[in-house]
Amino acid sequence: MITISLCMIVKNEERILARCLDSIADLVDEIIIVDTGSTDRTGEVAVRYTDKLFAFDWIDDFSAARNFAFSKASMEYIYSADADEVLDAENRERFRLLKETLLPEIEIVQMKYANQLQFKTVYNYDEEYRPKLFKRLREFVWEAPIHETVRLTPVVFDSDISILHMAEGSHAKRDLANFQRHCQAGYRPPKRLHNLYARELMMAGDEEDFVQAAAFFRASVEDSERDAEEIAEACCVAARAARLQGEVVVFFKYASKVIAEEACSEICCEMGQFYEGIGDYEEAAVWYYNAVYETHPILDLQSGGKKGLEGLVRCYIQLGCDEQADTYRAELEKLL
C-alpha cells in the first residue's frame, strides 16, 4: 500500500474546508495545509485535522504556493486538493482501493474533475481528467535493450475516481485580474495559459476585463511566435473588446482576420451581436445561424449552442417571425 501526503493551499475557506477534509482525511497519511493569508477562521479549522499548518506570504503566484506545500510532504505520493473539492462515498471507496493497489511504477494518477457546470465555473465541460496524485520522488530508469535511453515521459494512470467540484462561485474575476497583472509586468503566457486567459474572458469577462486585456491580445495577434490557434483566440478577444467600446473599424479588423482564415462560432456571435446592436436583425440572424450550424467554437462551447440560439430567438421575435423563433426556442430547450 502506498503512503499519501495531502497538500492544500487555502485562503479564507472556513465555510468549506471541513467539508473537504472530512471526505479525504482518513484516506491519507499526512495533511499539509498552506495558508496564503486568511483573515477568517480557516486556521482554526485546519488544526483540527493536522499540526502541519504553514503560512506562506502571497506573491501573486499559485505555483510558488503549491511548490511550497509540496516541499513539506514526506510520503511516497502527494495528493493535491482544493478546499471546494469533495469525495462522495462511492469515490472514497475507489480512492481507498487505488491506495491499496497502485503499482509502484505509476508516477501520476489522473482523476475526473466533475460537476463543473452546476456551480458556474469557467469550463466548457462538466467532467475532465486532471492530474491529482503525484509520486513525490521520481525514479529515473533506462529503457530499450539497445540504443538505451532514460525514460522521460511519466507513467500516467487514468483512474475511475470522480472528484466533485463544489465551488462557491466563479473565480473568473480573480483569475482575470491575475492574468492582467502578470501580462502588464511583461509575462508572456505560453500557449496553454494564452488559451485559458482568452477562454475565461470570452466565457465570463465583463467590459472592464476586456478593456484591460485588449492591448495584450492585440499584441498577441502581431506576435510572430504565436501559432494560428493563438492568433484566432486573440482576435476573438480583441474583436469583442472593440465591439464593447464602439470601435467599429477595429472590431471589423479583428473579426475579418478570423473569417478570412476559418470562421469560428465566437466571431459569428460577435458579428451577430454587432448587427443586433444596430437593429439589423436579418443580418444578425444570418451570423447567429452560422455560429450554431456552420462553424465550431474554439473557446466557448456555448457560442455554438445556447448563445447562438438565444440570438436567433431574439432576432426572429424582433422580425415578427414567431414560428421561426419558436423553432429555435425548441432547439434551445433541448440544451437546457
Side-chain angles (χ1 to χ4, degrees):
M1 180 185 296
I2 64 169
T3 59
I4 300 175
S5 299
L6 168 63
C7 287
M8 303 178 69
I9 61 172
V10 297
K11 181 178 180 181
N12 293 335
E13 307 286 10
E14 67 171 330
R15 297 175 306 282
I16 58 174
L17 181 57
R19 181 184 67 184
C20 172
L21 291 171
D22 285 343
S23 76
I24 189 67
D26 62 324
L27 298 174
V28 299
D29 304 280
E30 176 181 59
I31 298 175
I32 292 153
I33 298 178
V34 172
D35 194 317
T36 62
S38 293
T39 56
D40 64 1
R41 297 177 56 254
T42 294
E44 294 177 37
V45 176
V47 296
R48 299 207 303 262
Y49 297 85
T50 182
D51 60 356
K52 296 182 178 179
L53 173 64
F54 301 93
F56 181 82
D57 291 334
W58 183 243
I59 55 172
D60 208 22
D61 188 330
F62 284 96
S63 288
R66 292 198 189 277
N67 286 334
F68 178 76
F70 273 32
S71 74
K72 301 298 182 182
S74 62
M75 300 298 158
E76 296 170 279
Y77 284 80
I78 297 173
Y79 178 63
S80 179
D82 290 328
D84 58 7
E85 299 174 7
V86 177
L87 284 175
D88 61 17
E90 180 181 2
N91 288 289
R92 277 174 47 80
E93 179 61 16
R94 289 172 175 168
F95 194 103
R96 184 187 66 78
L97 290 173
L98 176 77
K99 183 178 180 182
E100 290 180 354
T101 60
L102 189 68
L103 297 174
E105 60 265 29
I106 292 174
E107 296 166 316
I108 297 173
V109 176
Q110 296 207 115
M111 301 177 187
K112 297 172 185 176
Y113 214 56
N115 218 37
Q116 299 279 61
L117 301 180
Q118 180 179 347
F119 291 91
K120 301 184 186 302
T121 50
V122 185
Y123 297 96
N124 281 315
Y125 302 97
D126 199 42
E127 184 177 273
E128 65 177 349
Y129 268 119
R130 290 189 181 185
K132 295 294 291 180
L133 186 68
F134 308 88
K135 199 164 191 178
R136 186 172 64 87
L137 298 176
R138 187 170 185 192
E139 298 168 349
F140 288 99
V141 296
W142 290 87
E143 291 182 318
I146 190 171
H147 297 302
E148 68 281 1
T149 185
V150 171
R151 176 172 51 79
L152 301 178
T153 304
V155 179
V156 180
F157 172 63
D158 291 342
S159 75
D160 59 356
I161 298 170
S162 290
I163 301 164
L164 293 177
H165 185 207
M166 302 179 69
E168 290 198 301
S170 173
H171 297 309
K173 200 69 177 173
R174 178 201 69 186
D175 293 344
L176 291 172
N178 280 336
F179 273 123
Q180 174 65 10
R181 282 194 296 273
H182 286 294
C183 290
Q184 276 190 329
Y187 177 66
R188 182 183 182 278
K191 183 181 176 75
R192 181 182 71 87
L193 287 182
H194 188 277
N195 172 269
L196 287 172
Y197 189 8
R199 172 151 53 96
E200 200 149 13
L201 278 163
M202 296 298 289
M203 294 179 70
D206 58 26
E207 183 170 345
E208 179 187 10
D209 296 322
F210 276 93
V211 170
Q212 292 178 346
F216 168 77
F217 282 99
R218 289 180 183 181
S220 276
V221 175
E222 306 302 327
D223 187 340
S224 61
E225 295 184 10
R226 296 285 184 192
D227 64 22
E229 291 178 354
E230 292 170 292
I231 291 172
E233 294 165 359
C235 283
C236 288
V237 174
R240 181 177 293 184
R243 179 178 62 78
L244 291 172
Q245 290 293 290
E247 299 175 329
V248 175
V249 174
V250 177
F251 167 73
F252 276 102
K253 171 185 175 180
Y254 291 108
S256 298
K257 285 180 182 293
V258 179
I259 295 168
E261 293 294 326
E262 184 175 358
C264 61
S265 299
E266 289 85 354
I267 281 296
C268 289
C269 273
E270 289 301 314
M271 295 290 285
Q273 287 185 291
F274 173 81
Y275 284 109
E276 186 181 359
I278 62 173
D280 189 343
Y281 300 108
E282 288 187 2
E283 186 67 18
V286 170
W287 286 103
Y288 285 130
Y289 182 91
N290 277 278
V292 178
Y293 298 107
E294 301 295 338
T295 57
H296 301 284
I298 61 174
L299 293 166
D300 179 6
L301 283 185
Q302 292 194 18
S303 64
K306 180 175 180 286
K307 293 178 180 178
L309 288 168
E310 286 175 340
L312 283 166
V313 171
R314 290 194 306 270
C315 288
Y316 283 114
I317 288 173
Q318 291 293 330
L319 291 167
C321 301
D322 294 340
E323 186 175 341
Q324 285 178 284
D326 287 341
T327 297
Y328 292 116
R329 190 179 287 112
E331 290 295 309
L332 183 59
E333 288 174 357
K334 292 178 185 178
L335 301 177
L336 302 178

